[in-house]
Amino acid sequence: MGRGVPELVLELNGRTWTLDPSRSYTLGRDPQGDMTIDDARVSWRHATISWNGRSWSIEDHGSTNGTYLHGQRIQQVELAAGSTVNLGNATDGPRLAFSGAGVYSGQAAGGAAAPVQPQQAPPQRPQQGPGPQQGWQQPQQPQQPHVPQQQGMAQGPPGPGAGAPAGTPPVYGDRSPTTFHQLALGRVMRIGRALENELVVSDLQVSRHHAEFHATPDGRFEIRDLGSHNGTYVNGQPLSKSGSALIGPNDIVGVGHSTFRLVGDRLEEFVDTGEVSFAARHLTVTVDGGKQILKDVSFGVPEKSLIGVIGPSGSGKSTLLKALTGYRPANQGDVLYDNRNLYKQFAELRQRIGLVPQDDILHKELTVTRALKYAAKLRFPADTTEAERQSRIHEVLAELKLDVHKDKKVTSLSGGQRKRVSVALELLTKPSLIFLDEPTSGLDPGMDRDVMQLLRGLADDGRTVLVVTHSVAELAICDKLLVMAPGGAVAYFGPPDEALNFFGYTSWADVFSAFENYRDYDWSGRWRGSQHYQMYAADIDAVAVQSVHMPPPQQMRPPKPQGWGTQLWTLMRRYVSVIASDKGFMGLMVILPAVLGIVSVVIPSDYGLAPPKPPHKFNSDAGTIMLILVIGMTFSAAANSVRELIKERVIYERERATGLSRSAYLMSKVIVLGVITAIQGVIICGIGFATRDLPAEGLIMPPAVEICLTIIALGFTSMMFGLVISSLVKTSEKTMPLLVMFAIVQVVFTGILFQVYGSPGLEQFAWLMPSRWAIAGAGTTLDLAHLMPPWDQNNPTDLDPLWEHSASQWGINITVLLFLGVICGFAVARLLRRHEPEVMRK
């Protein structure tokens, strides 16, 4: 060692190293690193120790769980003899102890292990495949590429074969357990996030007191749920809250990202740290009429892989993505998550899967931090503290380099930055699999590269990433490429740099043109007869799948992370924040009813809404004034809600898959919009009645109050009709024509313009119109039946029965009006089912 360089000795897990200042040392779970640390809290490439010419230092590489010195999280800090650093957790994470040494001799002090030798630099990713071949019918076979082997977890305790009974199913393939726990008869072992548990799981998906293992009097063991929020699973199926089940050596218990198996009186724990294999086996999707839009798709990928999926329009890419994520399970075939059937164990495994749709799953009016805050509140258990959520948010922002943008509104970010925020939202729960649908759509080439490099980094950090894309510029960054042919069949699966040579073309434009020009060609058959199929897909059927019985559909629905009331409160707060951040929308909500109220004022009237003084008998203007007020409230309230569901459809789809309550979501809209509508009703009535005479007395309350309550009830029902429209349409552009049509229809059937009652068919149809009952409610208060001239001058006793001047009729009118709104609520809830993962539908 050079003169003046202080000696530094590192102690970790009972081993010591004398560090060489001429090189740096990488620490993490990567077996190819200098110091492999087999702990789930440590990132794949966690930190680096090096001599910077002045001092020794440790630098964190954006790890998920952080690096800590004296309990404080650090990014980079100088080291000295006596320093202690924890990785992954400030208190009990793997501990690095640093001390001084005497004379550097190139050997570990005290007879310990020798200094770590530098690793060879990893081979460079291939830049360009073999040259193109002419034609496509008989392309030459490419040279056999290197087949990457699936890597297991770093060295640890003996694997399942060392002590597991014969026939014990594999957990995470053939990986060794992360740790062991001894179960003693008569002793209860409680699992949870809180430190007072016997088995502490540092996972925000786990409740503070989640579940417990205990022995039964006959010597068997039982797992009991303690009312956890995200559920306890046995063989992928959730226990009922506070339920229990006997377990044996063939059973697998899931708690958050941890899986447990009983081997004798010992409990083996396997922590899902992200390095999982993933496979699709013979996926076939058939739609009505027997048409197959996905045909026998099979492929498998190792852990830490980035998979690109490309293909022309109509090749089934979106259908494949829905099948792989469980949103729309395939009619035939299996999706394997480390040899576990995703469809049969969706309730548990859906917590390990992240999905970033093509449209942003963000409320663009919120800041980045606030958007992630509400997402964390919805996805983490209700007993998660604010500090725990904030810590996780800061970790994700740091990992994706979004710290500088955390206080910006999402709408002010560039396309690539918004996509990063969408990825950050999914990373909150630490998924092992991340699927992205067209993340580079609409981005320029520079942002395209940035997003793909981001995905490459996510895969390198220990996740499996699958991206569906139309962009072919950055495919070389992927580990594998899946090419879909028209009709939903696989045309190629293998290394991206060999794909063009496989098809025999020089560009992807030529390949896609060939797909279009030769649609009847058996692309899938050509692929299955190739050498690439033998190397990369032929052994997909050899995977032994864990056998699990198919439970009833009601048992497959995952539990909700929070109770109904907690979700409702969070959704209401988020919705209010979204509205409050949009100043233009807030102003419009006040201006629109004010203008409509003023419009009613400009109608000339000698008596307003009051009966005329003798010798005049009728007030013909009263009905016109009420018509304007009623239609104004109808339009204003429906306009509030007509776009609220369609604009959040993608957000709702994703949150529903993570455990969002459909009724809580709908009720949050109803309550917030209901309050807004009520305020608008007061504004319209306040302006409309300010300069008008009213009757001296009402039926139950002052006439102004009675009419205002009628207007507010009309606003509520019209707002619910707006939600029905919003849940029916497929695009926001279709809402405005339907809104105008709805308002015009209300004008016709009020009963003010012409006689509605007494006309068979027409009268009954008018009962479905909110405006009919609103005019009737106001008519009972104003006694419109006698205030307006009768429709039949020869029979003045032929009056509209809904306008009867009585308290009971007023109550009936208001009740029917609100009942129509409730019916609309049930209709909206039913229509929302169409936009949910099939496994979530009741």
Side-chain angles (χ1 to χ4, degrees):
M1 182 175 289
R3 184 182 303 274
V5 177
E7 305 283 338
L8 193 68
V9 176
L10 165 63
E11 180 179 0
L12 169 66
N13 293 334
R15 299 184 65 197
T16 58
W17 291 266
T18 300
L19 303 185
D20 182 352
S22 65
R23 53 156 304 188
S24 60
Y25 299 86
T26 59
L27 295 80
R29 296 198 319 275
D30 186 356
Q32 302 302 317
D34 300 315
M35 302 176 189
T36 302
I37 304 174
D38 184 17
D39 190 291
R41 295 166 295 183
V42 176
S43 293
W44 194 254
R45 296 184 179 91
H46 194 103
T48 298
I49 300 174
S50 61
W51 171 260
N52 59 21
R54 183 176 55 87
S55 62
W56 288 97
S57 66
I58 184 170
E59 180 181 1
D60 186 279
H61 291 309
S63 64
T64 300
N65 293 316
T67 303
Y68 300 86
L69 177 67
H70 305 310
Q72 300 296 319
R73 185 164 183 167
I74 56 95
Q75 180 65 34
Q76 184 172 8
V77 71
E78 294 183 355
L79 300 171
S83 299
T84 59
V85 172
N86 291 87
L87 305 181
N89 188 283
T91 55
D92 61 349
R95 181 175 178 270
L96 312 177
F98 298 92
S99 59
V103 179
Y104 177 74
S105 62
Q107 303 294 327
V116 181
Q117 297 301 316
Q119 301 285 336
Q120 284 188 340
Q124 295 298 313
R125 190 177 307 280
Q127 296 301 315
Q128 182 64 39
Q133 306 296 321
Q134 297 300 320
W136 57 270
Q137 290 88 345
Q138 299 292 333
Q140 297 181 8
Q141 293 294 340
Q143 297 180 357
Q144 181 167 333
H146 170 68
V147 182
Q149 301 295 319
Q150 293 191 19
Q151 295 181 357
M153 295 181 65
Q155 294 181 359
T168 300
V171 179
Y172 299 133
D174 57 356
R175 293 183 178 87
S176 300
T178 307
T179 186
F180 300 89
H181 308 278
Q182 197 68 31
L183 282 173
L185 291 176
R187 177 188 171 197
V188 174
M189 178 176 288
R190 190 170 54 181
I191 305 172
R193 214 172 63 248
L195 296 178
E196 60 265 23
N197 292 288
E198 288 78 13
L199 203 164
V200 179
V201 179
S202 56
D203 180 358
L204 292 185
Q205 294 286 76
V206 177
S207 299
R208 292 183 59 80
H209 302 99
H210 196 104
E212 63 184 17
F213 288 98
H214 66 93
T216 61
D218 58 1
R220 293 186 294 176
F221 289 94
E222 184 181 49
I223 178 68
R224 177 177 299 163
D225 185 83
L226 299 178
S228 64
H229 298 281
N230 277 325
T232 303
Y233 301 84
V234 176
N235 298 326
Q237 310 312 318
L239 295 176
S240 59
K241 278 196 180 282
S242 303
S244 61
L246 292 172
I247 59 173
N250 291 326
D251 295 317
I252 294 176
V253 177
V255 174
H257 285 78
S258 295
T259 304
F260 302 90
R261 181 178 60 191
L262 187 66
V263 179
D265 60 351
R266 186 178 67 179
L267 196 65
E268 296 182 346
E269 179 181 5
F270 300 79
V271 179
D272 185 348
T273 55
E275 299 88 5
V276 299
S277 63
F278 184 74
R281 191 159 66 177
H282 304 299
L283 297 182
T284 299
V285 174
T286 305
V287 295
D288 296 339
K291 179 182 178 181
Q292 289 186 343
I293 56 177
L294 207 63
K295 298 179 181 179
D296 197 18
V297 174
S298 295
F299 65 94
V301 296
E303 60 195 37
K304 295 194 307 171
S305 296
L306 174 60
I307 311 302
V309 180
I310 64 172
S313 299
S315 59
K317 300 188 299 297
S318 297
T319 302
L320 175 63
L321 193 64
K322 292 178 180 179
L324 295 177
T325 56
Y327 269 46
R328 200 288 189 193
N331 301 99
Q332 301 174 28
D334 301 308
V335 176
L336 307 182
Y337 179 105
D338 253 13
N339 304 341
R340 301 177 67 185
N341 191 304
L342 174 65
Y343 296 160
K344 294 183 179 181
Q345 305 185 42
F346 181 81
E348 176 185 359
L349 297 180
R350 55 103 191 184
Q351 302 180 43
R352 323 271 183 93
I353 296 175
L355 173 63
V356 181
Q358 181 175 350
D359 297 324
D360 293 326
I361 48 176
L362 302 160
H363 289 90
K364 298 179 181 180
E365 301 84 358
L366 301 179
T367 64
V368 172
T369 301
R370 187 172 289 272
L372 295 180
K373 169 188 171 184
Y374 286 119
K377 287 179 72 68
L378 288 172
R379 299 193 181 192
F380 290 140
D383 62 3
T384 308
T385 65
E386 182 70 21
E388 289 175 314
R389 290 193 297 267
Q390 288 293 338
S391 175
R392 181 60 189 150
I393 290 172
H394 292 158
E395 290 172 2
V396 170
L397 290 175
E399 180 179 2
L400 298 182
K401 297 178 176 60
L402 287 169
D403 310 66
V404 295
H405 305 296
K406 64 180 181 180
D407 295 323
K408 296 180 181 178
K409 285 188 176 183
V410 175
T411 188
S412 68
L413 302 177
S414 66
Q417 291 166 348
R418 283 201 303 271
K419 195 58 63 177
R420 281 179 177 265
V421 179
S422 293
V423 173
L425 189 149
E426 290 301 310
L427 290 185
L428 288 174
T429 54
K430 298 184 179 180
S432 302
L433 291 173
I434 301 178
F435 297 88
L436 301 99
D437 187 9
E438 300 286 357
T440 60
S441 177
L443 302 184
D444 61 47
M447 289 185 179
D448 182 357
R449 176 179 299 174
D450 290 342
V451 171
M452 292 301 292
Q453 288 178 342
L454 165 68
L455 303 183
R456 177 73 262 171
L458 294 178
D460 291 340
D461 199 36
R463 303 176 182 92
T464 300
V465 182
L466 186 144
V467 53
V468 175
T469 180
H470 276 126
S471 174
V472 297
E474 302 296 330
L475 293 180
I477 206 171
C478 299
D479 295 301
K480 294 288 191 300
L481 179 64
L482 176 67
V483 182
M484 301 293 293
V490 177
Y492 173 82
F493 179 72
D497 55 332
E498 298 174 11
L500 285 175
N501 184 62
F502 175 85
F503 289 106
Y505 285 98
T506 58
S507 71
W508 284 108
D510 293 332
V511 175
F512 282 24
S513 294
F515 284 151
E516 180 64 28
N517 296 332
Y518 303 95
R519 298 187 70 89
D520 296 332
Y521 183 76
D522 186 8
W523 295 100
S524 179
R526 179 176 180 271
W527 151 243
R528 293 178 183 276
S530 70
Q531 182 182 2
H532 279 72
Y533 177 81
Q534 297 300 320
M535 290 189 293
Y536 301 116
D539 60 348
I540 193 69
D541 292 325
V543 178
V545 185
Q546 180 193 354
S547 177
V548 177
H549 74 282
M550 196 67 175
Q554 61 268 23
Q555 293 185 15
M556 293 181 63
R557 292 192 301 272
K560 298 176 177 60
Q562 304 90 16
W564 188 88
T566 303
Q567 283 196 2
L568 174 63
W569 179 242
T570 301
L571 290 167
M572 288 174 57
R573 290 179 59 194
R574 182 177 70 178
Y575 192 24
V576 170
S577 296
V578 170
I579 293 175
S581 64
D582 190 344
K583 306 302 182 184
F585 181 67
M586 288 185 64
L588 185 61
M589 287 191 301
V590 175
I591 294 173
L592 181 60
V595 171
L596 294 173
I598 293 172
V599 169
S600 71
V601 172
V602 302
I603 298 175
S605 176
D606 294 332
Y607 307 105
L609 298 172
K613 298 177 181 179
H616 299 285
K617 186 176 182 180
F618 301 111
N619 181 356
S620 301
D621 299 326
T624 304
I625 295 170
M626 284 309 308
L627 174 65
I628 298 301
L629 290 175
V630 164
I631 299 306
M633 187 72 250
T634 298
F635 184 83
S636 181
N640 290 339
S641 60
V642 76
R643 290 190 176 183
E644 290 307 298
L645 298 182
I646 181 63
K647 74 179 184 181
E648 290 187 357
R649 183 160 296 171
V650 177
I651 299 175
Y652 173 74
E653 289 177 2
R654 181 65 192 122
E655 291 183 342
R656 181 70 174 132
T658 62
L660 179 70
S661 166
R662 182 196 308 144
S663 58
Y665 175 78
L666 177 56
M667 190 57 65
S668 70
K669 298 292 186 185
V670 171
I671 292 176
V672 174
L673 290 174
V675 171
I676 294 173
T677 301
I679 295 173
Q680 290 179 326
V682 172
I683 294 174
I684 286 180
C685 292
I687 296 175
F689 298 160
T691 60
R692 301 295 191 187
D693 293 330
L694 294 171
E697 295 181 357
L699 297 169
I700 303 173
M701 296 164 280
V705 176
E706 283 186 6
I707 299 175
C708 189
L709 289 177
T710 302
I711 295 297
I712 290 174
L714 169 66
F716 167 79
T717 302
S718 298
M719 177 263 293
M720 297 303 296
F721 269 91
L723 290 178
V724 171
I725 294 173
S726 191
S727 62
L728 277 172
V729 298
K730 294 183 178 180
T731 62
S732 297
E733 290 74 14
K734 296 180 180 179
T735 58
M736 294 313 296
L738 292 175
L739 173 62
V740 173
M741 182 184 71
F742 172 72
I744 291 176
V745 171
Q746 300 309 304
V747 174
V748 175
F749 291 98
T750 55
I752 292 292
L753 299 180
F754 61 93
Q755 181 179 337
V756 174
Y757 68 93
S759 301
L762 182 65
E763 179 181 13
Q764 287 70 34
F765 183 76
W767 290 347
L768 302 176
M769 302 296 116
S771 62
R772 169 67 169 147
W773 296 99
I775 286 292
T780 56
T781 298
L782 300 173
D783 195 14
L784 277 181
H786 295 94
L787 191 61
M788 290 178 58
W791 295 111
D792 187 353
Q793 300 291 335
N794 298 321
N795 187 8
T797 61
D798 184 16
L799 306 176
D800 193 329
L802 300 187
W803 293 1
E804 180 186 340
H805 188 57
S806 67
S808 61
Q809 187 60 50
W810 183 84
I812 291 173
N813 294 335
I814 297 299
T815 300
V816 174
L817 186 57
L818 294 174
F819 179 73
L820 289 175
V822 173
I823 293 298
C824 288
F826 282 106
V828 174
R830 187 73 180 175
L831 290 168
L832 282 175
R833 293 178 68 253
R834 302 181 307 160
H835 311 294
E836 300 173 356
E838 287 192 11
V839 75
M840 301 291 297
R841 299 178 186 176
K842 296 183 180 180

